[in-house]
Each structure stands twice: as C-alpha cells, then as structure tokens.
Amino acid sequence: MPERIGSVSELRSAYLHGDLTPVDLVERVLARLAGRTGEPVWISTVSAGQLSARAEWLAGLGDPATLPLYGIPFAVKDNIDVAGMVTTAGCPDFGYTAAEDAPVVRRLLDAGAVLVGKTNLDQFATGLTGARSPYGSCESVFGGGLISGGSSSGSAVAVAAGQVSFALGTDTAGSGRVPAALNGIVGVKPTRGLLSTAGVVPACRSLDCVSIFTADVAGAAEVLHAARGVSAADPWGRPLPAERVVPRMPGTLRLGVPCTEDLEFFGDAGQAVRFAAGVQGLRGLVGRTRPVPLQTFFEAGDLLYQGPWVAERLAALDGFLREHPEAVLAVTRTVLETGRRYDAVDAFRGQHRLRELRPASTSCGSRSTRWSCPPSARRSPWTRSPRTRSGATRCSAATPSSPTCSTWRR
C-alpha cells in the first residue's frame, strides 16, 4: 500500500503537538499530486494558490483545537457541488459551475478541512466498477490491472493512495462501499438523510446518500460528526433522533456467512480460495457462525438494477439525455433508457415488494452481529465485463481481499 498522507487522527495529533502546520500539509499535498500527474483520479483540483491561501488562513487562527477538522485535506466526488468549481458528474457536456457549496461540503470547510479537489466517477454515478468515465478508468491501489470499484472510484483511490485523509462519495447502491473494499480502506454509508444531498446531482433521489471514505473507522466518525446536519434545501434530510442508543459490543459475536449456493466468483478460483480461508480465520474470533441466505437481498437488488427504480434515475436526467444523447457514454445511456419500460403501476408494485422483503432481511440481520461477504457475492448487470486500463477483464470480486462487510480493511 502507498504511504498515506496521514489519517484524520494522526494529522490532528500532529497539529495539536506543534509537529505540523497547515502550510506544511499543503506542501505535502501538492507534492503528492505532482507525483501522480496523468492518473485519472482527479477531474479538477484546487489551485496551489488557493490551497496556500487556505493554509495561511488556518495558520492565522492560532489554536488548532478551535476546529474539529483543522487542516485535514479531503476530496469531493464530482457529482457534489463546490462553489466556483465545475460539477461534471463524469460527463463534460453536462458540466456547470456551482454557485454555492453543497451543504455537506460547507460544513466540512467550516470545520477547518482543506478541500484538494473533485474526483472521478462512473458517469452519473451509474456503475460499480470505476470503468465508465470519459476521464479514464481508475485502477485499484493494489495494481495488477484490478478495477478500483465505483461509482465513487476517484474518492476511494485518493484516500487509499494517501493523497487526502478523507473523501466524500455517494452511495445509492454500493458506490461508497464497493470501492472502499477494493482499495483496502473504510467506506461508510450513513443513514440516508443524515448527510444532506442538496447540491448533489441525483442518481436515484429517494435512495441517494453521501458517503465517507477514510483510512480508519475513527476518522469516519469524526467526519460524519462534522458533516451531518439538516438543510432547508434538502427535503430528504433528517436530524439525529433526540434519544440515541449507545452502541455496545455484544456478549457473543455471531458471524453470518453466505450460503454456499449464493456465492459466485465468476471463474476466479483464487478469490474463492481466499474468501474461504478468510472465513475460516474469522471463525476463531467469534462465538459462532451461521449461514445466511442471500436470495432476499438479490431480489431487492434486482428491483433497483432491473426494476422501476431505474426510472427514478432517468427522471433526474431525462431532459439532458433527450437533448444530448451523444454526450452520454453508450453503456450509461443504455442503463438510463431502460427506465422508460416502467410506469407508475410498476413503481408501486416495486415499493410493495420491497416492503414484503423487509421482514426476511431484518430477521437475517438480527441473528448475526457481523456478516462476512466477498466484495461481490453476485455481480449485478451493471458490473459485467468491466475493462481496466490495461484491457484485462475483471469482475468486482477479483480483488486481493479477505471477507468484507459494508466496511472492509486489508
């Protein structure tokens, strides 16, 4: 793994002990960016002058303890608005200059964080591979022609490669967790609405969620605390409940393992062997294991990928797609156009079926405190035959990994 610029807690400690200044930090950030010129991680970056001005302003505050994210460098997926920067959503012709920061970005800046730039993504956040962008395909930091995962590909790689301490992505159907798993970092999908989606280009608006990439869970918690909040511009937002349940470690850890018949590795025998070995290693750390059938989750996933929720994706982009069909990648256009197959009756049937599936999924979750799954227990139609920059065909299960849940560490 590349040497990281420093986690949230590491940089905060260095500031508090006088071992680092924001000016020092910006110099390190710029050096790392210069050393990776030409890689398709970034779509746009903040100028050196602006970064230096931000560092000088922070240094002028004096006490680093005044701001929770004082001097912490971060990146933003390029479907999230930053004032004065172009938002492309991975489509140059769609690009527009944002008049104001998305509320989630503004809260991070107000907390003292240093914005480095905007990162690459699968076009319109439609994909799970990182290989659907006119700006190029990111590669996993593990190399070897492995895909980065998507759609928040650039954000994940920027953190994993040590260019920033944390990054924002989005997660409608795994886009904030799949690339985290494939790059050996932490990806957190908060409860929908805790982080405002105002100023975010919609993918599937009722399901959209801003996600967080960090090197460790503690850093993700710090970022989540600083970024959360209700915005008047966001009808989907929700506050934290007044009474919060304090999480505690259960007396017995129960590991849920997918049923054998639900696992598919698409010909990658090495991944199958490593997953089995990883599960065996975890058995020694938990009180017991139990099989978890995944068919309920597969059916719910099919509603999203091959059902009426595709029409919700089309709803956000229909006007642009009709006026500029040639500006959209063929594979992305095909996915979006399938939304025309569905009507209001299909939408209600989908909602009803999803509600019917909920008891079974809730029951599975209540019987296990942790789940162990490969990064892709079954590949969705959106991840078929992704091409890496080297031209090799890989699926999202082909990663040097141990078992993964929604957060995964190498």
Side-chain angles (χ1 to χ4, degrees):
M1 290 289 292
E3 181 184 355
R4 293 187 170 107
I5 197 166
S7 67
V8 174
S9 59
E10 289 168 343
L11 292 185
R12 184 159 179 77
S13 177
Y15 284 130
L16 293 173
H17 288 89
D19 298 327
L20 181 68
T21 70
V23 174
D24 297 333
L25 184 282
V26 164
E27 290 178 353
R28 287 163 56 178
V29 167
L30 290 172
R32 278 168 170 75
L33 289 178
R36 304 181 75 93
T37 302
E39 295 186 5
V41 174
W42 302 90
I43 289 180
S44 59
T45 54
V46 176
S47 70
Q50 290 174 307
L51 284 172
S52 296
R54 175 71 169 174
E56 294 288 355
W57 180 82
L58 287 168
L61 296 179
D63 184 4
T66 57
L67 296 171
L69 295 177
Y70 178 95
I72 308 298
F74 75 108
V76 171
K77 185 178 181 178
D78 196 24
N79 60 346
I80 303 174
D81 285 350
V82 173
M85 298 187 76
V86 176
T87 300
T88 71
C91 180
D93 289 349
F94 178 81
Y96 60 89
T97 300
E100 59 185 9
D101 296 320
V104 67
V105 173
R106 174 42 49 191
R107 290 190 179 93
L108 294 171
L109 293 173
D110 289 346
V114 176
L115 178 66
V116 175
K118 307 191 74 178
T119 54
N120 202 355
L121 68 156
D122 283 312
Q123 191 173 72
F124 295 121
T126 302
L128 290 172
T129 66
R132 294 179 177 177
S133 170
Y135 296 96
S137 300
C138 295
E139 184 180 66
S140 168
V141 292
F142 294 112
L146 294 168
I147 61 171
S148 63
S151 62
S152 308
S153 52
S155 288
V157 174
V159 172
Q163 298 179 8
V164 292
S165 299
F166 73 91
L168 295 183
T170 57
D171 192 323
T172 301
S175 292
R177 292 158 291 163
V178 169
L182 300 188
N183 288 279
I185 58 173
V186 169
V188 174
K189 179 178 184 177
T191 298
R192 290 198 307 271
L194 286 186
L195 301 188
S196 174
T197 55
V200 178
V201 177
C204 194
R205 199 173 183 196
S206 67
L207 301 177
D208 287 344
C209 179
V210 175
S211 67
I212 298 168
F213 295 98
T214 56
D216 53 43
V217 174
E222 291 289 332
V223 174
L224 177 61
H225 182 77
R228 71 189 184 203
V230 176
S231 168
D234 182 12
W236 301 95
R238 71 175 89 185
L240 280 173
E243 295 184 7
R244 297 180 60 193
V245 177
V246 178
R248 61 180 180 178
M249 183 66 73
T252 300
L253 286 175
R254 301 182 302 277
L255 179 68
V257 179
C259 295
T260 302
E261 60 270 22
D262 291 334
L263 290 172
E264 188 173 357
F265 296 94
F266 306 95
D268 191 338
Q271 176 69 7
V273 170
R274 294 200 64 172
F275 177 71
V279 169
Q280 188 60 36
L282 289 173
R283 291 182 191 276
L285 302 177
V286 299
R288 56 178 174 167
T289 61
R290 65 183 312 131
V292 177
L294 298 184
Q295 291 303 316
T296 295
F297 301 94
F298 291 154
E299 184 177 348
D302 286 343
L303 288 172
L304 179 62
Y305 293 122
Q306 303 175 72
W309 273 272
V310 180
E312 187 175 16
R313 289 182 176 268
L314 178 63
L317 296 165
D318 189 30
F320 181 80
L321 191 62
R322 289 181 186 276
E323 294 177 13
H324 307 280
E326 74 291 339
V328 182
L329 295 176
V331 62
T332 307
R333 186 169 63 247
T334 298
V335 170
L336 295 174
E337 291 284 4
T338 60
R340 304 193 192 283
R341 301 174 184 171
Y342 304 102
D343 59 19
V345 174
D346 294 320
F348 280 108
R349 285 173 176 164
Q351 291 181 41
H352 299 165
R353 183 55 183 155
L354 188 62
R355 182 67 67 166
E356 292 165 359
L357 294 172
R358 180 173 292 183
S361 63
T362 301
S363 176
C364 287
S366 66
R367 292 198 298 268
S368 302
T369 51
R370 293 290 183 272
W371 285 23
S372 173
C373 295
S376 175
R378 191 180 75 172
R379 190 168 52 179
S380 80
W382 292 4
T383 61
R384 283 178 184 150
S385 300
R387 292 277 172 181
T388 66
R389 288 184 296 151
S390 64
T393 301
R394 299 272 184 162
C395 71
S396 57
T399 175
S401 71
S402 54
T404 182
C405 297
S406 57
T407 58
W408 176 86
R409 293 292 307 278
R410 180 173 170 81

